[in-house]
Every structure is written in structure tokens, then in C-alpha cells.
Amino acid sequence: MTARKLSISVSPEVEETIKAAAEEEGKSVSAWLAEAAVEKARLAALHAAGRAAARELVTEYESEHGALPEQSRRRAREFLMEAGLLDDDDWRAAG
């Protein structure tokens, strides 16, 4: 595998956190950051797939039963936000 060099800027606190975590796992900073980035991307893809599946379910439900009442949408949004699966930016982007 060919490695590519990247340059990043972080605060001193973040630098220390990264170094400590890498050392704890017996990895180089580069290896630890690469694994962290891949995991972050994997989780983002899972969240996106979950949101897409939820939109599909709502669309299917609404095509059979009509539009969900606004109160139900609001309760669902609150639940998803409390569960950490949605933030205000996600909700605004969904329209």
C-alpha cells in the first residue's frame, strides 16, 4: 500500500488527546488517525442509510394512508434528536 502524506492542524489539546489514544492502542499517530477517519466515514454512511430508509418508510406510509400529522412529525423529530440520530441541520436539510 502506498501511503500519502497529509497535513492537518489541531489545537494542542486535540494533539495530546490523539497522541495519548494512539499510544494507548500501541499505534502510530498516523495509523490511529487513519483508522479514526475510516470509522467516522463508516458511521456517517450508516447514518445516511438509516435516514434514507426512514424517509422511504414515511413515503410508503403516506402513499397508503395520507400525510403524517404535524404533531407526529414533531414527536418523531424530538425522539431522533434525543437519540442523537438527528440534529437541527439534518432536519432543515430534509425540508
Side-chain angles (χ1 to χ4, degrees):
M1 173 179 89
T2 302
R4 304 272 312 248
K5 187 172 183 167
L6 297 176
S7 175
I8 64 169
S9 299
V10 297
S11 69
E13 296 82 12
V14 171
E15 177 187 14
E16 291 307 313
T17 299
I18 291 168
K19 286 180 176 180
E23 185 177 341
E24 176 74 23
E25 294 181 24
K27 297 177 181 171
S28 68
V29 168
S30 291
W32 189 90
L33 283 171
E35 286 180 15
V38 169
E39 181 64 9
K40 174 76 173 176
R42 186 186 72 78
L43 289 174
L46 284 174
H47 279 267
R51 288 190 303 271
R55 283 191 297 273
E56 185 178 324
L57 286 172
V58 169
T59 299
E60 182 180 323
Y61 176 89
E62 288 183 330
S63 71
E64 292 178 22
H65 305 284
L68 285 170
E70 183 55 36
Q71 181 181 6
S72 296
R73 288 179 178 274
R74 190 172 28 260
R75 286 184 15 231
R77 181 180 68 233
E78 289 169 3
F79 170 80
L80 292 172
M81 289 175 69
E82 288 174 10
L85 299 174
L86 182 75
D87 61 31
D88 283 333
D89 292 336
D90 291 331
W91 183 253
R92 280 195 278 287

